[in-house]
Amino acid sequence: MSYGKRGMALENLVEYTNNIYKNKGMALIDKVPTPWSVSYDKRTGRVFRAFPQKKGTVDFVGISHGRSIAFDAKSTKERTRFPLSNVEQHQVDYLINHQDQGGISFFIIFFANHNEAYYVPFQKFLDWWERHYEGGRKSIPYKWFLLNVDKIQTKNGVPLDYLPHCQRVLRNEAIEK
């Protein structure tokens, strides 16, 4: 599978989940389309080259219960780690800005060989990201996911039920106030 296609199964699963959330009136979360640059042959009018432009945002944005949600879904075939090279700086920048504006920011990290998805609150991810730029590890160990973040379960007909984890963030914020 090509580099660009490796996360498509996960993205399709998230989109399916988002449709269920929409139909149940729980959230409205959309896939952000990737803009494409297209060049046409002047003689024939046919496309002779097309490539995705660099994105400036994340894969999914939306709203649930009056709160903005933004996240990126990442998949890896690594068994023992999640390479931070799977994430781009513009995605981190977007999630920082989104969180600073009061939104809920996170990653869904899917370990394909374990068939497990994890809800990673952005702040926990950011700790790893910042340390890796300071000369630390270039990946997050799989065992860290097992011990420090929540596995996303299939519940109530929702294949990748991540929304309860967002609601937990809201409850924790209410308790802290």
Side-chain angles (χ1 to χ4, degrees), residues 64-129:
S64 177
H65 298 35
R67 193 71 178 269
S68 178
I69 294 174
F71 65 97
D72 213 274
K74 298 292 184 184
S75 181
T76 184
K77 290 185 178 180
E78 296 285 342
R79 295 188 68 78
T80 60
R81 64 190 178 92
F82 173 75
L84 290 168
S85 61
N86 287 4
V87 177
E88 296 182 38
Q89 184 65 50
H90 71 83
Q91 295 166 324
V92 173
D93 293 341
Y94 184 89
L95 291 173
I96 287 171
N97 290 330
H98 181 260
Q99 186 169 281
D100 287 350
Q101 291 298 318
I104 299 171
S105 299
F106 60 96
F107 282 94
I108 293 176
I109 307 290
F110 182 73
F111 284 87
N113 286 318
H114 296 283
N115 197 30
E116 295 172 346
Y118 291 89
Y119 177 91
V120 182
F122 182 66
Q123 198 58 48
K124 288 187 177 189
F125 175 85
L126 191 57
D127 292 341
W128 285 97
W129 186 259

Side-chain angles (χ1 to χ4, degrees), residues 1-12 36 52 73 75-77:
M1 185 176 291
S2 73
Y3 179 81
K5 297 282 187 211
R6 67 184 174 166
M8 288 305 296
L10 175 60
E11 287 188 10
N12 289 338
W36 284 75
S75 181
T76 184
K77 290 185 178 180

Side-chain angles (χ1 to χ4, degrees), residues 1-166:
M1 185 176 291
S2 73
Y3 179 81
K5 297 282 187 211
R6 67 184 174 166
M8 288 305 296
L10 175 60
E11 287 188 10
N12 289 338
L13 186 59
V14 172
E15 285 189 85
Y16 182 72
T17 295
N18 291 342
N19 282 330
I20 292 171
Y21 287 154
K22 178 182 175 185
N23 292 337
K24 290 184 173 190
M26 298 169 67
L28 178 60
I29 300 169
D30 294 308
K31 170 101 173 77
V32 177
T34 302
W36 284 75
S37 290
V38 179
S39 299
Y40 297 92
D41 184 312
K42 291 180 182 178
R43 290 178 292 125
T44 64
R46 299 178 120 193
V47 173
F48 73 88
R49 182 176 34 163
F51 53 92
Q53 296 174 357
K54 189 142 183 97
K55 289 177 67 170
T57 183
V58 291
D59 288 340
F60 297 94
V61 296
I63 190 164
S64 177
H65 298 35
R67 193 71 178 269
S68 178
I69 294 174
F71 65 97
D72 213 274
K74 298 292 184 184
S75 181
T76 184
K77 290 185 178 180
E78 296 285 342
R79 295 188 68 78
T80 60
R81 64 190 178 92
F82 173 75
L84 290 168
S85 61
N86 287 4
V87 177
E88 296 182 38
Q89 184 65 50
H90 71 83
Q91 295 166 324
V92 173
D93 293 341
Y94 184 89
L95 291 173
I96 287 171
N97 290 330
H98 181 260
Q99 186 169 281
D100 287 350
Q101 291 298 318
I104 299 171
S105 299
F106 60 96
F107 282 94
I108 293 176
I109 307 290
F110 182 73
F111 284 87
N113 286 318
H114 296 283
N115 197 30
E116 295 172 346
Y118 291 89
Y119 177 91
V120 182
F122 182 66
Q123 198 58 48
K124 288 187 177 189
F125 175 85
L126 191 57
D127 292 341
W128 285 97
W129 186 259
E130 289 172 346
R131 283 194 303 250
H132 112 276
Y133 271 109
E134 295 167 357
R137 288 187 62 116
K138 305 297 183 212
S139 63
I140 304 173
Y142 171 72
K143 287 185 178 184
W144 179 87
F145 289 87
L146 295 172
L147 299 172
N148 294 285
V149 294
D150 295 324
K151 187 186 300 187
I152 301 172
Q153 303 292 331
T154 298
K155 289 189 282 189
N156 303 321
V158 181
L160 201 58
D161 197 13
Y162 64 84
L163 206 51
H165 303 285
C166 296

